[in-house]
Amino acid sequence: MDDLTLVRAHTVYRCVMGSRAFGLATEASDTDLRGVYLAPTPLFWRFEKPPTHVEGPRDEEFSWELERFCELALRANPNILECLHSPLVEEVTPVGEELLSLREAFLSRRAHTSFSRYAASQHGKLLADVRVHGAPRWKHAMHLLRLLLSCRDLLRTGRLTIDAGPHRDRLLAVRRGELTWDEVDAWMGRLRDETDTALAATVLPAEPDHARVQDFLVRTRRASAA
């Protein structure tokens, strides 16, 4: 079974991500698809294991094997956690429904570290653009702000919301270059400070619920083997 056939035949969850899921799409926005597939258990009995991720079969589509997806979600990988909370679901099977029911099991204070590290990396790239070109890539600046807002609110409420909501207009103004870099950078700095403050009072547990996620994965693998 080739990789693309594996995705086509065994996808359990697929959603739209990117600007369309964030409520920040323009007419030029692509439709980014992200998915999770369940490789049949017998494929793991061979020397050659099934892939942990696959690009395609459609343009702008990327999928993870269920176990890899769960591993990354337990580490609070921002891209993975956001996939679980997309408002635009294209396909979901009963296994996918159970995966979605575990959304809260993946959430923990680890998100502060993982989101902050990712944000710091992206901020460094924006600063490099400012030094070299005099301005950042405004689309990337917009998405970093949205990520910081999402992390702050996750720590404040215990819920991950990826839609830009009331910040949409100002974020789109950033994308259009209508704010100065100093204004945007100052906003980012305030959000980092607010995120650190939110961590001190967050309702999120210190660690995700590994046992609950592992129980789901083991039951799913056994059902596939049968």
Side-chain angles (χ1 to χ4, degrees):
M1 182 182 298
D2 65 59
D3 293 354
L4 294 183
T5 299
L6 186 64
V7 171
R8 289 190 182 98
H10 298 285
T11 289
V12 299
Y13 174 65
R14 182 169 59 234
C15 66
V16 176
M17 286 301 299
S19 295
R20 297 193 183 281
F22 303 146
L24 297 169
T26 66
E27 292 182 359
S29 294
D30 294 325
T31 299
D32 299 318
L33 298 171
R34 299 292 179 266
V36 181
Y37 59 93
L38 173 63
T41 300
L43 294 183
F44 290 90
W45 300 341
R46 310 175 308 177
F47 286 119
E48 183 181 355
K49 307 302 181 187
T52 59
H53 58 270
V54 176
E55 290 190 42
R58 294 192 281 181
D59 291 340
E60 308 298 334
E61 183 171 1
F62 189 98
S63 299
W64 296 268
E65 206 283 322
L66 178 64
E67 183 174 342
R68 179 59 173 165
F69 187 87
C70 289
E71 287 175 350
L72 292 172
L74 287 169
R75 297 177 195 170
N77 178 289
N79 293 322
I80 299 294
L81 290 183
E82 291 187 335
C83 280
L84 285 169
H85 293 79
S86 173
L88 305 176
V89 175
E90 287 214 334
E91 179 180 353
V92 62
T93 69
V95 171
E97 291 282 5
E98 187 168 2
L99 175 64
L100 293 180
S101 76
L102 293 172
R103 284 172 175 145
E104 290 73 23
F106 292 110
L107 298 179
S108 72
R109 294 175 204 168
R110 287 187 176 190
H112 177 265
T113 300
S114 61
F115 278 63
S116 296
R117 284 177 177 170
Y118 181 79
S121 172
Q122 296 304 305
H123 186 254
K125 294 177 181 179
L126 292 173
L127 286 175
D129 285 338
V130 172
R131 287 194 298 269
V132 174
H133 305 293
R137 288 172 288 181
W138 293 113
K139 179 181 176 180
H140 291 190
M142 175 193 72
H143 281 301
L144 177 51
L145 284 164
R146 185 211 58 79
L147 181 81
L148 290 167
L149 286 162
S150 180
C151 182
R152 181 201 64 184
D153 293 345
L154 168 61
L155 292 167
R156 284 178 172 178
T157 67
R159 298 185 302 274
L160 182 59
T161 302
I162 69 172
D163 188 272
H167 306 285
R168 179 179 186 275
D169 289 345
R170 193 173 186 213
L171 288 171
L172 288 175
V174 170
R175 179 174 183 154
R176 293 190 296 266
E178 295 173 2
L179 278 71
T180 67
W181 168 245
D182 286 344
E183 290 173 319
V184 170
D185 197 31
W187 188 7
M188 291 177 181
R190 289 194 300 273
L191 288 173
R192 287 193 294 269
D193 291 342
E194 291 169 0
T195 298
D196 290 342
T197 299
L199 176 64
T202 188
V203 299
L204 291 176
E207 297 291 332
D209 194 339
H210 286 84
R212 188 177 166 197
V213 175
Q214 180 167 281
D215 174 72
F216 159 67
L217 184 61
V218 170
R219 285 188 290 103
T220 303
R221 287 275 191 246
R222 283 175 176 163
S224 173

